[in-house]
Amino acid sequence: MVVPVYKVECYIARCVESLFNQSIYDGVEFIFVDDATPDNSIGVLEHCLQQYPERQEQTIILRHEKNQGLPAARNTGLKAATGEYIYHCDSDDFLEPEALEAMYEAAKAQDADIVWCDWFLSFERNERYMKQPCYVTAHEALKGILNGRMKYNVWNKMAKRKLYADNDIWFPSGHGMGEDMTMIRLFACADKVAYVPRAFYHYVKLNGEAFTNTFSDKHLKDVLYNMEQTVAFLEKRYGQDAKEAIVAFKLTVKYPFLISDNCRMYRLWRTCFPEVNHAISCMEGQSLRSRVLQWAASHGQFWLLWLHYKLVYKLIYGVIYK
């Protein structure tokens, strides 16, 4: 269990308690990485640890002398880990008590390299169940990720540590936005996968407009860097067989730009790899809504994107889920 810690003083207690209250006990190691957090996050963590003396021998707190960013913190935890499987948890989120046990049992029962589960998108007073698709093979799962049907989020997946080590897979230090794309490499190298159709992870999102308001030129550079590195990995591994999947992946990467009421984001969508826009209507696995929104963006019909955001997205996350 790898948990980066940075500026989460108000949230980390709930996270830590959810980890220490996991139904599985033996064999779990909790690795917290203090990424030079300037607040009292580590003090809160240490106070929580005192309340769980039975977990103290299983817990390691590593420290960065200066802030290095989320990917570097994950890598520090990876290097220190000794367990058979790696699970990443962000320190402002939390887990259901059976999460690790259920996922580990599924992984062992099917000898899976990677296992994933459903998750909750959690707001202040409500939450939404986020269903993930079921795939039988690693190749099908990889294809589902690249065409956007399954999220490549790191925190609802458990992967063999050997999968990281044998394939020299690390998170992109210094390029935080889009660092979850690292999971795509793991799926590309996996032999067997498993899915647990239950939601265990609570992804806490208290500001539904955070992406739109804070997306910067640095974030864009990070996303493009991580996408380019992922594409290069896929091309090296699969050659021309990856061509169609890469087209789908590029559409998947830029699709979030359209979930906004900001015309700058719409224009950004149009300027990012426009060579793949021809495939919008024929991409396997894409929903009708995503195709309509991308068609509208490609034809400059920004009013439809704005209307969708105000009537659908704001209604769902501003009223129903809040």
Side-chain angles (χ1 to χ4, degrees):
M1 169 68 69
V2 177
V3 188
V5 179
Y6 186 74
K7 288 187 177 180
V8 287
E9 182 177 350
C10 295
Y11 307 101
I12 191 170
R14 178 172 60 180
C15 175
V16 172
E17 289 171 3
S18 77
L19 300 183
F20 289 165
N21 283 320
Q22 287 296 300
S23 57
I24 191 171
Y25 184 81
D26 294 332
V28 182
E29 56 184 7
F30 301 97
I31 303 173
F32 296 91
V33 182
D34 173 10
D35 194 24
T37 183
D39 61 4
N40 192 41
S41 295
I42 298 302
V44 175
L45 165 59
E46 291 174 336
H47 176 74
C48 289
L49 184 55
Q50 292 176 3
Q51 314 307 310
Y52 294 86
E54 71 280 6
R55 293 292 194 184
Q56 291 186 13
E57 291 187 2
Q58 299 173 294
T59 302
I60 302 172
I61 301 176
L62 304 175
R63 289 179 169 85
H64 288 169
E65 291 187 5
K66 62 178 181 179
N67 180 251
Q68 298 180 38
L70 181 59
R74 295 201 198 282
N75 288 337
T76 295
L78 269 175
K79 292 174 185 176
T82 62
E84 183 181 7
Y85 285 88
I86 300 290
Y87 189 92
H88 295 273
C89 180
D90 290 346
S91 47
D92 52 353
D93 299 330
F94 60 101
L95 287 173
E96 290 292 305
E98 314 85 20
L100 297 183
E101 183 174 15
M103 295 182 74
Y104 179 70
E105 287 182 351
K108 295 298 290 183
Q110 301 182 50
D111 190 26
D113 296 307
I114 306 175
V115 57
W116 69 94
C117 66
D118 300 337
W119 50 284
F120 293 104
L121 184 57
S122 300
F123 297 88
E124 185 174 359
R125 297 189 299 271
N126 209 336
E127 59 186 6
R128 182 181 179 187
Y129 191 106
M130 307 300 286
K131 182 73 175 176
Q132 291 294 275
C134 176
Y135 297 108
V136 176
T137 68
H139 180 75
E140 290 173 348
L142 175 62
K143 188 176 180 180
I145 290 174
L146 296 176
N147 67 29
R149 290 196 65 198
M150 184 163 82
K151 301 296 184 183
Y152 47 76
N153 298 329
V154 64
W155 31 253
N156 69 325
K157 300 172 182 69
M158 181 181 286
K160 280 185 177 178
R161 183 169 60 89
K162 192 172 185 291
L163 199 60
Y164 287 94
D166 288 356
N167 298 285
D168 196 27
I169 294 175
W170 301 94
F171 289 88
S173 185
H175 302 279
M177 185 64 75
E179 52 96 22
D180 292 49
M181 294 181 200
T182 303
M183 301 308 292
I184 294 173
R185 302 187 189 193
L186 293 176
F187 274 92
C189 297
D191 291 324
K192 295 180 180 180
V193 296
Y195 164 61
V196 180
R198 293 177 58 191
F200 294 122
Y201 193 89
H202 293 261
Y203 176 68
V204 179
K205 191 173 182 64
L206 297 182
N207 183 359
E209 295 184 297
F211 178 82
T212 300
N213 290 339
T214 64
F215 195 77
S216 65
D217 290 340
K218 172 63 165 63
H219 290 155
L220 177 60
K221 289 179 181 178
D222 285 353
V223 168
L224 295 181
Y225 172 86
N226 287 319
M227 188 211 69
E228 289 166 0
Q229 294 298 307
T230 303
V231 167
F233 183 91
L234 294 172
E235 288 178 338
K236 182 178 180 180
R237 190 170 185 86
Y238 298 109
Q240 285 299 309
D241 291 341
K243 186 175 180 179
E244 183 178 334
I246 288 171
V247 169
F249 177 53
K250 289 181 176 180
L251 286 173
T252 297
V253 168
K254 69 176 185 172
Y255 177 71
F257 299 164
L258 302 182
I259 310 302
S260 168
D261 58 358
N262 189 333
C263 286
R264 171 179 171 267
M265 302 300 286
Y266 305 157
R267 296 190 184 96
L268 181 58
W269 184 95
R270 297 193 75 184
T271 57
C272 284
F273 11 99
E275 72 278 3
V276 303
N277 292 351
H278 70 278
I280 292 171
S281 61
C282 58
M283 275 295 101
E284 180 184 346
Q286 293 222 344
S287 68
L288 176 60
R289 182 174 64 148
S290 67
R291 291 184 185 185
V292 169
L293 292 179
Q294 291 175 96
W295 176 90
S298 66
H299 288 79
Q301 300 297 311
F302 294 167
W303 65 271
L304 184 57
L305 302 172
W306 184 90
L307 189 63
H308 164 266
Y309 183 80
K310 292 298 185 181
L311 294 183
V312 178
Y313 196 83
K314 293 290 285 185
L315 174 63
I316 292 175
Y317 297 116
V319 178
I320 300 175
Y321 298 102
K322 187 177 180 180

